[in-house]
Amino acid sequence: EVNSMSIAIKKEKCAGCRKCTSVCPGSLIKTDEDGKAYIKYPRDCWGCASCLKECKFGAIEFYLGADIGGIGSKMHVTEDGDIYHWHIKKVTGETETITINKKDSNQY
C-alpha cells in the first residue's frame, strides 16, 4: 500500500541525472547499479515534491491522496521555459494537464 504522500519512480524514464537524489531532504532517493533512481522506503516520503519539480524527464510521479482531493491519482511535472505542466492521471484513466507560469506562481 502506498501512502498519500509518496512518490513512484519510473526507471524506464529516468536519465540518471541524480538531481532528485540531491534535492530529497530525507535522502530517500538512491541510484541502482545502472544509475537509475529509486526510492527504497516510499512510506518515509513526506511529500515535499522537491524531486518532482527537479525531474525534467517525467520519471517521478507523486500520489495525490484522498486527503488532498486526489483519491489515488498520480501527477508528474514537465517544464517548458517558465511554464510548468502538471500532468495528472486519475484512477479512472482520465488525464488532465494544469499549466502554471513560474513567474506568476508566487504572486499570492
Side-chain angles (χ1 to χ4, degrees):
E1 178 183 325
V2 176
N3 77 34
S4 63
M5 294 304 239
S6 188
I7 62 164
I9 300 174
K10 294 181 170 184
K11 286 190 174 190
E12 68 274 9
K13 290 189 172 187
C14 177
C17 71
R18 298 180 182 231
K19 286 184 179 180
C20 59
T21 64
S22 65
V23 298
C24 179
S27 300
L28 300 174
I29 303 174
K30 309 293 184 193
T31 52
D32 64 15
E33 61 278 351
D34 295 327
K36 303 287 186 170
Y38 70 95
I39 182 164
K40 190 169 185 177
Y41 301 108
R43 68 184 172 274
D44 292 341
C45 172
W46 58 84
C48 74
S50 293
C51 60
L52 187 70
K53 292 183 275 185
E54 281 298 316
C55 183
K56 307 300 183 223
F57 305 99
I60 301 176
E61 292 183 329
F62 183 69
Y63 287 96
L64 302 174
D67 56 334
I68 58 172
I71 313 170
S73 300
K74 291 188 261 184
M75 177 178 80
H76 75 275
V77 177
T78 57
E79 189 176 346
D80 182 18
D82 287 333
I83 305 296
Y84 279 129
H85 301 285
W86 295 1
H87 305 280
I88 300 167
K89 184 173 183 183
K90 300 177 183 182
V91 292
T92 60
E94 295 174 77
T95 59
E96 179 181 353
T97 299
I98 298 170
T99 301
I100 297 168
N101 188 321
K102 285 191 256 182
K103 292 178 181 176
D104 298 334
S105 64
N106 292 325
Q107 70 182 357
Y108 305 102

